[in-house]
Amino acid sequence: MSTFFTNEYFMRIALNEAKLAYEKGEIPVGAIVVANNQIIAKSHNLTELLHDVTAHAEIQAISSAANYLNAKYLKNCTLFVTLEPCQMCAGALYWSQISNIVCGAEDPKRGYRAIGGQIHPKTKITFGILEEECANLMKSFFESKR
Amino acid sequence: MSTFFTNEYFMRIALNEAKLAYEKGEIPVGAIVVANNQIIAKSHNLTELLHDVTAHAEIQAISSAANYLNAKYLKNCTLFVTLEPCQMCAGALYWSQISNIVCGAEDPKRGYRAIGGQIHPKTKITFGILEEECANLMKSFFESKR
């Protein structure tokens, strides 16, 4: 396996998605889905633009990846997301049976672990990839809104 | 307030949606969103047809109602759903800040209460409306798949 395709490499692409959200005035969360080192979905939070609380980056990425694969389940796929998923997104990831989740910043208030949600027992989750950069983008966004 | 618009009245419409799902080979869950006794969204589970695990009846109903209202939040709205929401849908309902949720059958295995999820503290939830009919439809579906 090439060392080119590191968690940091893919998280930087998710972070670029988060920056696109930021520029649109959306809470800056980005996500990508990767299968065999190929990016099969890219998305960012669009809840304000779409007036839709379900339009989190992860939900869009799951739907988009499933559409690409023409399959309900995201086995052998990895989601890279700049923020720990909320319970809604954890639930969607649970149903997708995705193999891996890689997170940037933690979300001690609204993250699925704080709320009491669950991911699928077969899903491996990794925290802390580009954590500071992902967290700083969120912090900068909320400071700009004060 | 008219006694015509009872919980049972609206749940029967959600149950008709669940029956449409059943006829398509989908797990039979239906949902509607009501505002001022007017139905502003109707949906049923479409996860198989769309190859999309996020296409639960509730997620579609929330998106559809928000689109109708041109607003993110479903304040002063009631969701009628034939089955207790899963954690994904509970999470979506949480974000929507919906005023009321009315459920048919309980889901002791995959319902949000079993998983450990939460609805919004301001949301009122009622269980057990047309419970037997809603549960029997699910039971009949899974028996037919054996």
Side-chain angles (χ1 to χ4, degrees):
Chain A
M1 188 179 161
S2 166
T3 52
F4 182 74
F5 295 115
T6 61
N7 280 346
E8 286 74 15
Y9 170 80
F10 286 120
M11 187 61 80
R12 196 156 298 284
I13 297 166
L15 194 55
N16 283 339
E17 285 293 315
K19 286 174 186 169
L20 293 176
Y22 189 112
E23 287 163 12
K24 292 174 183 170
E26 302 277 356
I27 294 177
V29 181
I32 65 171
V33 176
V34 175
N36 297 318
N37 286 331
Q38 188 195 344
I39 298 168
I40 63 169
K42 284 205 281 192
S43 60
H44 52 267
N45 179 36
L46 285 174
T47 51
E48 297 300 327
L49 184 74
L50 299 179
H51 296 148
D52 187 344
V53 297
T54 73
H56 282 196
E58 300 95 311
I59 299 287
Q60 295 177 75
I62 292 165
S63 294
S64 182
N67 188 50
Y68 177 87
L69 296 170
N70 202 28
K72 257 174 74 180
Y73 299 117
L74 304 183
K75 289 174 184 175
N76 304 314
C77 291
T78 300
L79 176 89
F80 292 83
V81 59
T82 58
L83 183 70
E84 176 185 344
C86 72
Q87 68 166 330
M88 171 179 74
C89 295
L93 290 162
Y94 186 109
W95 291 123
S96 79
Q97 298 184 28
I98 197 163
S99 299
N100 295 287
I101 303 170
V102 180
C103 299
E106 300 197 7
D107 187 350
K109 278 193 187 165
R110 306 289 193 150
Y112 77 96
R113 294 176 301 173
I115 297 290
Q118 290 178 27
I119 54 168
H120 197 280
K122 286 184 188 163
T123 300
K124 188 185 158 202
I125 189 158
T126 305
F127 291 95
I129 307 300
L130 303 187
E131 183 169 11
E132 204 175 323
E133 284 181 69
C134 292
N136 282 345
L137 189 67
M138 289 288 283
K139 200 176 155 192
S140 161
F141 178 80
F142 286 110
E143 279 175 359
S144 75
K145 293 285 172 190
R146 268 181 213 152
Chain B
M1 188 178 160
S2 166
T3 53
F4 182 75
F5 295 115
T6 61
N7 280 346
E8 286 73 15
Y9 170 80
F10 287 119
M11 187 61 81
R12 196 156 298 284
I13 297 165
L15 195 56
N16 284 339
E17 285 292 316
K19 286 173 186 167
L20 293 176
Y22 190 111
E23 288 164 12
K24 292 173 183 170
E26 302 277 356
I27 294 176
V29 181
I32 65 170
V33 176
V34 175
N36 298 318
N37 286 331
Q38 188 195 344
I39 298 168
I40 63 168
K42 284 206 280 193
S43 59
H44 52 268
N45 179 36
L46 285 174
T47 51
E48 297 300 327
L49 184 74
L50 299 179
H51 296 148
D52 187 343
V53 296
T54 73
H56 283 197
E58 301 96 311
I59 298 287
Q60 295 177 75
I62 292 166
S63 294
S64 182
N67 187 51
Y68 177 86
L69 296 170
N70 202 29
K72 257 173 76 180
Y73 299 117
L74 304 182
K75 290 174 183 175
N76 304 315
C77 291
T78 300
L79 176 90
F80 292 83
V81 58
T82 59
L83 183 69
E84 176 185 344
C86 71
Q87 68 166 331
M88 170 178 74
C89 295
L93 290 161
Y94 186 109
W95 292 123
S96 80
Q97 299 184 27
I98 197 162
S99 298
N100 295 286
I101 303 170
V102 180
C103 299
E106 299 196 9
D107 187 349
K109 278 194 188 164
R110 306 288 193 150
Y112 76 97
R113 293 176 301 172
I115 297 290
Q118 290 178 26
I119 54 167
H120 197 281
K122 286 184 187 163
T123 300
K124 189 186 157 200
I125 189 158
T126 305
F127 291 96
I129 306 300
L130 303 187
E131 183 168 11
E132 203 174 325
E133 284 181 69
C134 292
N136 282 346
L137 190 67
M138 290 288 284
K139 199 176 157 193
S140 161
F141 178 80
F142 286 110
E143 279 174 0
S144 75
K145 293 285 171 188
R146 267 180 212 154

